[in-house]
Amino acid sequence: MTSYNAHLAHDADFAGWRAHVRHCLAGAVSPEDVIWSITAPNDLFSQSASRSLPTGASPFRIPREQARLLSGAFLADVPDRFRQLHRFVETLAHDSHALHVPSEVTRDVHSMAEAAWSAGLDLRTAFSAAIRRGETMLSWPSHLSAIGQRHALGSLCAASWAVTTPRFDLACDGGEITIGGAGAHNDYWSGLPSVTHPPTLSELHELQSLDVLRAMAPDCHACDLWRPATRTVFGEGPTEAALMFVGEQPGDQEDLAGRPFVGPAGAVFDSALQDVGLERSACYVTNAVKHFRFTQRGARRIHARPDTGNIQACAPWLAAERRLVRPRVLVMLGATAARAVLGRDVTIARERSRPHRLSEDTQGIVTTHPSYLLRLPDDATRIRETERFKDDLRLARSLMSK
Ligand code: SF4
């Protein structure tokens, strides 16, 4: 058999690699007979750069889970990965049992995907720490990690940011992510894979760093809320915070901004904190559920309460935040937060304004969610309920020093 020359536009050219592999499957070309090369256009960032790809294709389809594994492994910094992954696809095509019984080939691919995820997590953790220091520019030695994590980085920071690598720069203007000087969606950069790795419960239980926890959160698929939402909205605040607030879920504005309590309810919350002499920047603020649940009505996204399944699915994240922050006082803002923390249905009127022992280190307080104060129909009720809310905050402050 003569060799088959397969040219890729760059070393993250997943679409090009896939087209060649499909062509090889259709023509029974063995992975050992393929010579892979990278043919960069003269102008790396030219809008007109294009590939010449084969058109013949195998009808073989890869199950979604294997495709995700493959696209992750494609960004592992491993020599000969184009050939190794070609062998993997050939194994899938010829041996349906490979879907269930990992062969040597599939184990290698799992290792590659793990290596790519681990490198990506290092980047995300460094990026997350930089964002928390107020920096939005990071220099990183691996462009493959940057490619694979571009969407997760966008989920970690909704504002403008940039990551520079030896090959190119990734930049985000708060929405669109671009590569180098060219749009990420042009022909040259099309078909880039992403590396995702839904964290396991044991990973969450063993973590010792809030930055790593935050960096893992964009990959969570434990319930369906990640699909329609824009991004994971993780908790924020110092690891050593003595006071933690737990709300229900991010709202429309939080979902867009990537930060908890920045919408209208957040303004009420901030104002009440200020009135009782608490610094928000010294508190850890999070939600029981990390993705925005909503119903689309025309152009508007209407808040929908998370259900018990969402609260339970998200519970390991909240538990990990509580374990790592270890607050002296935890304030549950509303019935959903109280349900998530106390593990049972809670009537706010009956259980608010008194301490609940949550653990040896932590006292809990149940109070209303600030959005409740926004919904009250008349000024007199709003003023009275706002004072009750502030009294609960004062109680939290007093418990911190006991
Ligand atoms: S809401 Fe929580 S459990 Fe559900 S996908 Fe988001 S982070 Fe995961």
Side-chain angles (χ1 to χ4, degrees):
M1 172 86 192
T2 55
S3 57
Y4 170 81
N5 291 309
H7 301 291
L8 301 178
H10 49 79
D11 60 357
D13 181 8
F14 188 61
W17 174 85
R18 192 175 49 200
H20 283 300
V21 169
R22 288 171 69 86
H23 182 74
C24 289
L25 284 176
V29 180
S30 153
E32 317 313 322
D33 294 322
V34 180
I35 298 171
W36 294 97
S37 63
I38 293 172
T39 316
N42 292 336
D43 175 2
L44 188 65
F45 298 122
S46 162
Q47 292 282 344
S48 61
S50 62
R51 293 182 294 261
S52 166
L53 294 176
T55 49
S58 156
F60 172 65
R61 294 185 73 82
I62 295 177
R64 183 185 296 184
E65 196 49 35
Q66 303 293 349
R68 199 174 64 77
L69 178 69
L70 197 56
S71 64
F74 192 79
L75 293 181
D77 215 344
V78 171
D80 204 31
R81 71 188 193 283
F82 302 142
R83 190 185 317 277
Q84 284 195 55
L85 296 178
H86 184 176
R87 278 194 211 113
F88 172 66
V89 174
E90 197 178 53
T91 307
L92 292 182
H94 294 129
D95 177 7
S96 61
H97 296 298
L99 299 178
H100 308 292
V101 183
S103 66
E104 199 176 297
V105 177
T106 56
R107 273 199 303 275
D108 285 349
V109 175
H110 277 280
S111 304
M112 288 163 71
E114 285 291 323
W117 184 76
S118 171
L121 183 59
D122 287 346
L123 164 59
R124 285 155 59 162
T125 306
F127 183 82
S128 177
I131 296 298
R132 286 163 55 71
R133 290 193 302 269
E135 299 160 15
T136 50
M137 171 93 73
L138 183 73
S139 179
W140 196 251
S142 160
H143 67 285
L144 289 177
S145 300
I147 281 290
Q149 299 302 322
R150 64 199 182 285
H151 297 308
L153 299 183
S155 185
L156 285 166
C157 179
S160 299
W161 52 263
V163 172
T164 62
T165 76
R167 280 287 312 277
F168 49 69
D169 300 341
L170 271 187
C172 179
D173 61 5
E176 185 86 357
I177 297 169
T178 55
I179 299 177
H185 304 299
N186 71 32
D187 185 49
Y188 183 71
W189 291 108
S190 65
L192 294 174
S194 289
V195 180
T196 57
H197 177 101
T200 62
L201 282 181
S202 64
E203 282 170 329
L204 295 187
H205 289 151
E206 284 161 19
L207 274 178
Q208 296 304 324
S209 155
L210 204 54
D211 271 330
V212 175
L213 187 72
R214 181 177 290 105
M216 292 168 86
D219 282 348
C220 182
H221 294 173
C223 73
D224 277 345
L225 296 189
W226 66 274
R227 290 180 195 277
T230 310
R231 54 177 53 84
T232 309
V233 180
F234 205 72
E236 65 176 25
T239 313
E240 64 282 1
L243 182 55
M244 177 186 266
F245 289 94
V246 179
E248 181 195 69
Q249 64 162 0
D252 182 68
Q253 292 191 30
E254 285 85 3
D255 170 82
L256 297 174
R259 295 184 55 211
F261 283 92
V262 293
V268 171
F269 177 59
D270 286 347
S271 160
L273 284 180
Q274 204 174 10
D275 287 352
V276 302
L278 286 168
E279 288 271 342
R280 172 153 171 177
S281 60
C283 304
Y284 189 86
V285 181
T286 191
N287 282 300
V289 172
K290 313 295 190 221
H291 278 105
F292 178 34
R293 186 176 196 219
F294 60 91
T295 308
Q296 192 80 44
R297 218 170 279 158
R300 295 182 62 212
R301 302 191 299 174
I302 310 296
H303 168 277
R305 221 174 189 192
D307 64 23
T308 307
N310 303 135
I311 296 169
Q312 282 171 351
C314 224
W317 293 104
L318 181 60
E321 287 175 295
R322 284 178 60 189
R323 178 175 57 80
L324 294 171
V325 177
R326 292 182 65 201
R328 299 201 62 164
V329 181
L330 186 154
V331 180
M332 295 156 258
L333 301 167
T336 299
R339 170 92 182 73
V341 172
L342 299 175
R344 57 180 169 79
D345 287 337
V346 171
T347 304
I348 299 290
R350 213 164 36 222
E351 310 216 23
R352 70 179 298 175
S353 311
R354 62 181 167 84
H356 295 254
R357 174 62 67 185
L358 299 180
S359 70
E360 205 177 310
D361 302 319
T362 308
Q363 300 254 42
I365 296 190
V366 173
T367 188
T368 50
H369 193 280
S371 63
Y372 165 76
L373 303 173
L374 287 170
R375 293 194 302 271
L376 292 171
D378 60 86
D379 287 351
T381 316
R382 191 162 40 249
I383 290 167
R384 190 186 66 236
E385 287 301 314
T386 302
E387 279 311 310
R388 286 188 75 194
F389 181 65
K390 288 187 207 168
D391 284 344
D392 289 341
L393 298 185
R394 288 188 189 98
L395 174 61
R397 194 184 59 186
S398 70
L399 289 174
M400 281 163 64
S401 52
K402 283 189 179 159

